[in-house]
Amino acid sequence: MITKKIKTALDEVGIPCYFITRGNNPAPCVVYNYNEKPKFFAENEEKAIQYTVLLNLYCNNNIENTKKLVLEVMQKYGFIKTAV
């Protein structure tokens, strides 16, 4: 579920995105990863999960504008920026 949401958001940026590694693929691209931890339990059942999404932007030029675009798109899709 989270992978689909990340990919949907990053598709709007218009540069390729890859999970964990970019392999031999050239820049520009975004490589993403995420951590998952239980956030809330009720009646012995997990009710909420907290995700920390990590993005690595590989870019040779127009770096600041591309970074800004990635951040704006991620926020548009409901991701909350906590650090850059």
Side-chain angles (χ1 to χ4, degrees):
M1 181 173 130
I2 190 70
T3 302
K4 183 177 180 182
K5 188 170 183 170
I6 294 168
K7 283 186 155 205
T8 300
L10 291 175
D11 281 347
E12 194 169 311
V13 175
I15 61 177
C17 65
Y18 306 100
F19 181 61
I20 299 180
T21 181
R22 69 180 176 142
N24 293 327
N25 298 305
C29 68
V30 177
V31 177
Y32 67 92
N33 194 359
Y34 62 89
N35 294 316
E36 172 183 318
K37 73 177 182 178
K39 188 67 175 171
F40 175 70
F41 287 89
E43 297 180 11
N44 250 1
E45 187 177 320
E46 184 179 69
K47 298 291 184 180
I49 300 170
Q50 177 180 341
Y51 294 97
T52 301
V53 178
L54 309 163
L55 302 176
N56 291 303
L57 173 62
Y58 292 88
C59 196
N60 294 327
N61 53 37
N62 208 13
I63 297 166
E64 289 302 315
N65 287 337
T66 306
K67 180 179 82 173
K68 182 179 175 184
L69 177 61
V70 170
L71 291 172
E72 287 173 355
V73 167
M74 294 299 285
Q75 288 176 336
K76 175 182 169 184
Y77 279 84
F79 292 90
I80 301 168
K81 178 180 79 171
T82 58
V84 175

